[in-house]
Amino acid sequence: NAILVKKEQWKVLEEPAEEEDTEPIKKKNKKNNGMQRISSGKNSNTMVSVCLEPATTKREAASIFDPVVISCVHLDATDERKRILQLTKCLERSRNLLDHQRKGDDSTILLRPLRAIIVGDMNAEFVPGSCMVATLKEHQQKKKRQASKGSSSTQASPSTESDEAMAEVSACTEALRLTCAEPPTKEQLEDWRQLRQEAYDLVQDHCVFLDRIPTGPTRCAYEHSAVDTEDTATPRAMQSWKLDHLLYTCSDDDESDSKDNIGELRPLAYWATLEADPTSCQTGLPNATCPSDHLPIAAVFEIPAGQDPTAKENEASSAFLQKLQDFEKRHKEVLEQAKAELKEKEKELQQKELEKQKEAASNDPPAAVDNSKQGKKKKKGNQKRAPPSTEMMEMKREFRSRLKTLQKNQAHEREELVRDMGNREKLLLQAHCGIPWRQWLEQGAK
């Protein structure tokens, strides 16, 4: 894999020090027409990434553009789980590259969502019911709508659930290279659904939305089933696959072309694929017009120019952080008040029990003294504490039940708060709390 950069237009930014073993190798050639080849030594067979910013001498113009990370990938051809893991690694590397460029900004907590383009042979068709399609914005928003409906006690229609189940079975059958006569087992379908959830969580954990340029088929060859057959009389048919894709990070708004989303990647145009080449669909690839077994793909993106959004984002960030601090303060005060009440009640009960013990000791006759054991002293470690009273045990049980209810209510309030958050707010939450947002959702602040 490699990335070619027009160095008159783009500046290649440095990589983090911890990735020195995969530092880009820059090869310059007087005859390369101003192009700069970027390749990565360690993972160049499956992934190479580079962080770019406009090569302009005007600092004011460059300041309104966050860097963009470009990744070229070649995902595994046989295993959907490996493809998801490789995509995870790609997003992690993109985030590390971008965060490395923002380390020097100490003026404010300004964390904008990741801006990246991922392109290459992904060996997957992103069909409904697949795990790869679970990483896309359309599926993410669908899950979000389902979660909102679930909170309002509204369930999906039986027909919708049936369609989703059929799509999962079809995608699982295709990924495992099974046949209609040999459908996936119950265990295989359960593993498939779990992997789909992991793919969904992958994008959620990185606080991004991914969308796909709607390119068509890029690979054309004989059907897989026809290659292994011994029937030579029946002519073998050609089949097309959508294996090469362009993914890009996009806004978490429903309207991705909103004018308020300054700096968001906006696709403008893309190359046609095999749907516009009937000859290649008949002869397959490679052929006389395309020397590769995959048709190349390309797209044009726009990064809208506008006013520097820093002041506006700082104001929104401060308002959100203040809301988050008030939210955490209220939760902390409720828990501390409950614990203080327990201590006070525990102290009162201990005082009552002590008074009862003194009263009982004053009413009991003095015990006879055994002079033969008078010289022996009991060790302090052997002294046994009296068991807590029934009243004390009942009070602690009530407190534990009350505390569990409080924590459950607070967890529900955190779910409500996170449900309305965008990716940028989640990044701010992580920076403020020092833990992943999903961990905060489950456990609250440290």
Side-chain angles (χ1 to χ4, degrees):
N1 289 10
I3 297 176
L4 302 180
V5 179
K6 195 75 173 179
K7 57 186 180 182
E8 287 82 5
Q9 298 178 0
W10 295 96
K11 177 183 177 182
V12 179
L13 302 178
E14 64 174 315
E15 296 192 11
E18 58 267 21
E19 295 192 0
E20 289 180 355
D21 58 333
T22 59
E23 186 175 356
I25 302 171
K26 303 176 183 180
K27 297 183 179 180
K28 298 182 180 180
N29 192 321
K30 293 182 180 179
K31 298 182 180 181
N32 66 357
N33 195 25
M35 301 295 288
Q36 182 173 323
R37 182 178 183 273
I38 308 296
S39 64
S40 184
K42 188 174 180 180
N43 297 313
S44 58
N45 289 333
T46 57
M47 178 184 66
V48 58
S49 303
V50 63
C51 193
L52 304 173
E53 71 176 6
T56 175
T57 56
K58 296 181 179 180
R59 189 167 183 177
E60 296 80 7
S63 64
I64 65 173
F65 294 105
D66 266 357
V68 59
V69 180
I70 310 293
S71 297
C72 181
V73 300
H74 191 174
L75 304 186
D76 191 85
T78 60
D79 193 333
E80 188 93 341
R81 182 174 295 277
K82 289 182 179 179
R83 288 191 282 270
I84 296 298
L85 291 175
Q86 288 169 328
L87 188 58
T88 302
K89 181 64 177 176
C90 184
L91 288 175
E92 288 176 354
R93 178 169 170 77
S94 299
R95 171 59 64 190
N96 290 338
L97 283 169
L98 192 58
D99 287 349
H100 178 68
Q101 311 307 324
R102 296 171 174 169
K103 277 184 178 180
D105 185 10
D106 298 327
S107 59
T108 181
I109 302 177
L110 181 59
L111 297 172
R112 300 175 190 170
L114 173 66
R115 193 168 70 201
I117 298 173
I118 304 172
V119 60
D121 180 3
M122 300 188 185
N123 279 303
E125 292 203 88
F126 286 83
V127 295
S130 69
C131 299
M132 292 295 288
V133 84
T135 65
L136 299 183
K137 176 180 178 180
E138 180 181 359
H139 182 79
Q140 302 282 315
Q141 291 182 326
K142 182 179 179 181
K143 291 276 286 186
K144 188 175 181 179
R145 288 192 296 268
Q146 289 175 347
S148 299
K149 289 180 179 179
S151 63
S152 60
S153 302
T154 305
Q155 297 182 351
S157 63
S159 60
T160 302
E161 293 180 351
S162 177
D163 292 342
E164 291 180 358
M166 291 177 61
E168 285 184 338
V169 172
S170 177
C172 182
T173 302
E174 178 69 22
L176 299 180
R177 300 194 176 183
L178 303 174
T179 62
C180 295
E182 185 189 6
T185 64
K186 183 178 179 180
E187 290 76 15
Q188 287 173 328
L189 276 175
E190 186 60 33
D191 290 343
W192 186 256
R193 293 189 181 103
Q194 183 178 351
L195 184 58
R196 289 196 79 204
Q197 183 62 41
E198 291 175 6
Y200 169 81
D201 292 340
L202 148 72
V203 181
Q204 288 284 301
D205 290 343
H206 284 83
C207 302
V208 296
F209 273 109
L210 288 176
D211 211 345
R212 188 185 78 88
I213 301 295
T215 51
T218 57
R219 173 90 171 96
C220 187
Y222 289 119
E223 292 179 339
H224 289 151
S225 57
V227 174
D228 300 328
T229 183
E230 296 180 357
D231 184 7
T232 57
T234 304
R236 295 187 295 177
M238 284 288 176
Q239 184 175 354
S240 299
W241 299 273
K242 300 177 183 179
L243 301 182
D244 302 270
H245 305 276
L246 277 153
L247 307 182
Y248 64 98
T249 55
C250 56
S251 168
D252 53 2
D253 296 333
D254 291 334
E255 298 293 334
S256 60
D257 58 348
S258 173
K259 295 181 180 180
D260 294 333
N261 298 323
I262 299 175
E264 293 287 350
L265 293 168
R266 298 181 190 173
L268 299 180
Y270 57 93
W271 281 357
T273 42
L274 286 174
E275 73 279 357
D277 189 355
T279 301
S280 293
C281 290
Q282 294 177 357
T283 61
L285 296 176
N287 56 31
T289 59
C290 179
S292 172
D293 61 341
H294 286 247
L295 197 70
I297 57 175
V300 178
F301 290 89
E302 176 191 29
I303 304 177
Q307 295 180 352
D308 187 354
T310 301
K312 181 180 179 181
E313 289 187 355
N314 285 346
E315 183 179 351
S317 299
S318 299
F320 172 78
L321 289 175
Q322 186 60 52
K323 177 182 177 181
L324 182 61
Q325 289 170 358
D326 295 341
F327 181 88
E328 291 181 333
K329 182 180 178 182
R330 178 169 54 84
H331 277 201
K332 184 178 179 181
E333 288 176 348
V334 169
L335 292 176
E336 287 181 347
Q337 182 181 356
K339 292 177 181 179
E341 290 177 3
L342 170 68
K343 287 184 178 181
E344 186 65 28
K345 289 181 179 180
E346 188 175 8
K347 188 176 179 181
E348 290 178 2
L349 281 177
Q350 287 175 348
Q351 186 66 28
K352 288 181 181 179
E353 290 179 3
L354 184 60
E355 291 175 357
K356 287 182 180 179
Q357 291 174 4
K358 289 181 178 179
E359 184 179 354
S362 62
N363 295 331
D364 291 340
V369 179
D370 187 354
N371 295 327
S372 62
K373 299 180 180 180
Q374 196 170 10
K376 295 182 180 180
K377 294 183 178 180
K378 292 184 179 180
K379 294 182 180 179
K380 291 184 178 180
N382 293 333
Q383 295 177 354
K384 293 183 179 180
R385 291 185 178 180
S389 65
T390 304
E391 190 177 1
M392 177 72 75
M393 294 175 64
E394 182 63 26
M395 184 200 67
K396 289 188 175 182
R397 276 195 294 267
E398 290 179 0
F399 172 75
R400 283 194 294 268
S401 176
R402 179 187 173 191
L403 184 62
K404 188 175 181 180
T405 302
L406 284 174
Q407 291 172 338
K408 184 177 180 180
N409 292 339
Q410 291 186 353
H412 179 70
E413 290 179 5
R414 288 195 297 271
E415 288 178 4
E416 294 291 331
L417 184 64
V418 169
R419 187 177 293 122
D420 296 330
M421 285 185 190
N423 289 326
R424 188 167 164 275
E425 284 79 10
K426 291 178 181 177
L427 290 171
L428 284 167
L429 186 151
Q430 292 181 159
H432 171 72
C433 299
I435 56 176
W437 70 267
R438 197 181 294 277
Q439 183 179 343
W440 180 86
L441 174 63
E442 295 172 355
Q443 303 175 5
K446 291 182 178 180

